[in-house]
Amino acid sequence: MTPLYIVGLGPGGREHLTPAATRALGTSHCAVGYGPYLAQVQDLLVGKDCRDLPLGEEIPRARLALDLAAAGKPTALLSSGDPGIYAMATVVFEQLATAPGAGWEGVEVQVIPGISALQAVAAKVGAPLACDFCAISLSDCLLPWTTIERRIDAAGQGDFAVAFYNPVSQRRRWQLPRAREILLGYRPTDTPTIIARNVTRPGETLQLTTLGELAVEAVDMLTLVLVGSAETRVWGPWLYTPRGYQPPP
Amino acid sequence: MTPLYIVGLGPGGREHLTPAATRALGTSHCAVGYGPYLAQVQDLLVGKDCRDLPLGEEIPRARLALDLAAAGKPTALLSSGDPGIYAMATVVFEQLATAPGAGWEGVEVQVIPGISALQAVAAKVGAPLACDFCAISLSDCLLPWTTIERRIDAAGQGDFAVAFYNPVSQRRRWQLPRAREILLGYRPTDTPTIIARNVTRPGETLQLTTLGELAVEAVDMLTLVLVGSAETRVWGPWLYTPRGYQPPP
């Protein structure tokens, strides 16, 4: 059996790359990833067979990594954040499950978790996810918008703090305003909201705003939007959600 | 200003302790924590002033750590998993916000994120959280059960994969069966469910069951229960939630 490591690189800052991830990269002969992810850990990949496939080619990346491992080469498939949270791990399992005759029987998959964006952002601003929370991707490329909208509505009903992944793209502009509108049906306009970009990377920005003032113009593809629950509080520069409180009437 | 690092130790296995956490422990003069967490990183705490406070004394731990930092001693407050997810970070902000005259003005708080149990468990079993997910604590020590039940119901309505933290305790036995009953109103009895205990630690166990067969007897305080969405699939030993699927009718 040859290992295929699906490696979480974390939010970007190298101080958040786990020893498990470093070791997996070090013991791999091949590395497959989107170029900027390969560049992020290039010092750990010296002398290795690195394959750079562009954004949008997630399935080819997963298949190439499986093929390399199936050929007996220990391989790392690079993922930003946590590979299990809107990232590469499930792409590999989708391929394994749907292509049983592809010759991948000798591949031993290992998923190496990493710090996801929601954690990096939460840590920078305090403890907004300290009580119950959810993560929702606003990308309707693979899921129908009706399913996503049902989830946003449920997040409102349950008063979860919400981390929105993929909040906008160049084409997807109306989804974030619609998500805001749905949540405003359940929580106040002054609900603390964070627009976080490039967290733990050069050029990091963190903007505190409110749900009522959340503007799509301030958000791009490298942004995570984190909306507090109705109980999330602002104290000085910090946001936190208390552990205990009384229910709304 | 003197730093107070609120340090996420991750799920237990040292290969998941980030360099940022290791550095924060190394530069601290004092460490405050629950004994087993101090023991987990004792080699990094040699010669430091370590203060061991028992379970249940979360507020005294936060206040002691703030007092030590306010006295000019760089201090690490130890948290398992991620300090922002059902852990120590919000306890510190609660204290800061409610005791403004306590002499803590000179403390510079830094939250160091860590791998949370939901990520460690997901990585071991595949990619069950790959689509939208939520985290819910079943402890009603600080929140009314009605609030928690509303969240479980919302998780069902939104078809989120769910990570249940604090699923049971010696006293709290009926909450997990009730949560199961609520989710069964929304998703099939054969929904893949994982009972995970001590993940990445000695004695780790991972049990694949179904939502219909989830038994409270198999669960204890060291357990995370992870329930798939209606779309989560089993493939060989793995669980995964696909990135895209058609909505239920």
Side-chain angles (χ1 to χ4, degrees):
Chain A
M1 299 291 282
T2 304
L4 168 57
Y5 303 106
I6 312 175
V7 181
L9 299 183
R14 277 292 282 277
E15 71 272 25
H16 300 295
L17 185 75
T18 68
T22 300
R23 188 166 53 82
L25 295 173
T27 58
S28 293
H29 296 192
C30 305
V32 178
Y34 172 49
Y37 303 157
L38 290 163
Q40 190 178 313
V41 287
Q42 61 184 335
D43 56 307
L44 302 174
L45 300 177
V46 173
K48 298 183 192 294
D49 178 4
C50 294
R51 310 289 183 96
D52 170 356
L53 277 78
L55 273 189
E57 296 200 9
E58 284 71 35
I59 292 172
R61 258 184 264 145
R63 296 183 68 94
L64 173 58
L66 283 160
D67 285 342
L68 289 165
K73 299 169 189 167
T75 297
L77 176 60
L78 276 52
S79 193
S80 69
D82 185 304
I85 299 180
Y86 305 117
M88 288 303 296
T90 200
V91 186
V92 170
F93 294 110
E94 284 172 359
Q95 293 306 307
L96 283 167
T98 54
W104 295 325
E105 298 77 16
V107 178
E108 182 198 11
V109 175
Q110 284 188 45
V111 183
I112 315 287
I115 304 291
S116 188
L118 68 85
Q119 300 172 284
V121 172
K124 289 275 180 173
V125 300
L129 306 177
C131 199
D132 308 316
F133 70 93
C134 67
I136 300 176
S137 167
L138 293 184
S139 169
D140 54 355
C141 298
L142 292 167
L143 275 187
W145 178 253
T146 49
T147 300
I148 299 169
E149 190 158 312
R150 190 162 58 99
R151 291 215 166 110
I152 302 165
D153 195 78
Q157 286 184 46
D159 195 30
F160 290 95
V162 186
F164 286 117
Y165 283 72
N166 308 311
V168 305
S169 74
Q170 287 187 322
R171 292 181 304 102
R172 293 182 298 98
R173 310 297 298 173
W174 57 263
Q175 288 85 346
L176 181 64
R178 176 72 188 127
R180 186 187 72 129
E181 184 187 350
I182 295 169
L183 287 183
L184 281 173
Y186 296 100
R187 58 190 80 170
T189 54
D190 66 352
T191 301
T193 297
I194 295 285
I195 300 173
R197 192 169 185 282
N198 272 332
V199 167
T200 80
R201 296 176 193 260
E204 166 184 303
T205 61
L206 290 157
Q207 184 192 343
L208 171 62
T209 183
T210 63
L211 185 56
E213 309 234 306
L214 174 62
V216 69
E217 294 74 26
V219 177
D220 70 10
M221 285 179 69
L222 300 175
T223 304
L224 184 90
V225 174
L226 202 157
V227 181
S229 79
E231 300 296 334
T232 301
R233 298 173 195 181
V234 177
W235 183 80
W238 299 105
L239 247 66
Y240 70 101
T241 307
R243 297 176 300 159
Y245 44 79
Q246 289 308 303
Chain B
M1 301 291 280
T2 304
L4 167 57
Y5 303 105
I6 312 175
V7 181
L9 299 184
R14 277 292 281 278
E15 72 273 23
H16 300 296
L17 185 73
T18 68
T22 300
R23 187 165 55 82
L25 295 172
T27 59
S28 294
H29 297 191
C30 304
V32 179
Y34 172 49
Y37 302 157
L38 290 163
Q40 189 178 313
V41 287
Q42 60 185 334
D43 56 308
L44 301 174
L45 300 176
V46 173
K48 299 182 191 294
D49 177 5
C50 293
R51 311 290 183 96
D52 170 358
L53 277 78
L55 271 188
E57 296 200 9
E58 283 72 35
I59 291 172
R61 258 185 263 146
R63 296 184 68 94
L64 174 58
L66 282 161
D67 286 342
L68 290 166
K73 299 169 187 165
T75 297
L77 176 60
L78 275 53
S79 194
S80 68
D82 185 303
I85 299 178
Y86 306 116
M88 288 303 297
T90 202
V91 186
V92 170
F93 294 110
E94 284 173 359
Q95 293 305 307
L96 283 167
T98 53
W104 295 325
E105 298 78 13
V107 177
E108 182 198 9
V109 175
Q110 284 189 46
V111 182
I112 315 287
I115 303 291
S116 189
L118 68 84
Q119 299 171 286
V121 172
K124 288 276 180 173
V125 301
L129 306 177
C131 200
D132 307 317
F133 69 94
C134 67
I136 300 176
S137 167
L138 292 184
S139 169
D140 55 354
C141 298
L142 293 167
L143 276 187
W145 178 254
T146 49
T147 299
I148 299 168
E149 190 157 314
R150 190 162 56 99
R151 292 216 165 108
I152 303 165
D153 195 77
Q157 286 184 46
D159 195 31
F160 290 95
V162 186
F164 286 118
Y165 283 72
N166 308 311
V168 305
S169 74
Q170 286 187 322
R171 292 179 304 101
R172 293 182 298 100
R173 309 298 297 175
W174 56 264
Q175 288 86 347
L176 181 64
R178 176 70 188 127
R180 186 186 72 128
E181 185 187 349
I182 295 169
L183 287 184
L184 281 173
Y186 296 99
R187 58 191 79 171
T189 53
D190 66 353
T191 301
T193 296
I194 295 285
I195 301 173
R197 192 169 186 281
N198 274 332
V199 167
T200 80
R201 296 175 194 262
E204 165 184 302
T205 60
L206 289 157
Q207 185 192 341
L208 171 62
T209 182
T210 63
L211 185 57
E213 308 234 306
L214 173 61
V216 68
E217 294 73 25
V219 177
D220 70 10
M221 285 178 69
L222 300 175
T223 304
L224 183 89
V225 174
L226 202 157
V227 181
S229 78
E231 299 297 334
T232 301
R233 299 174 193 180
V234 177
W235 184 78
W238 300 104
L239 247 66
Y240 71 101
T241 307
R243 297 175 300 159
Y245 43 80
Q246 289 308 304

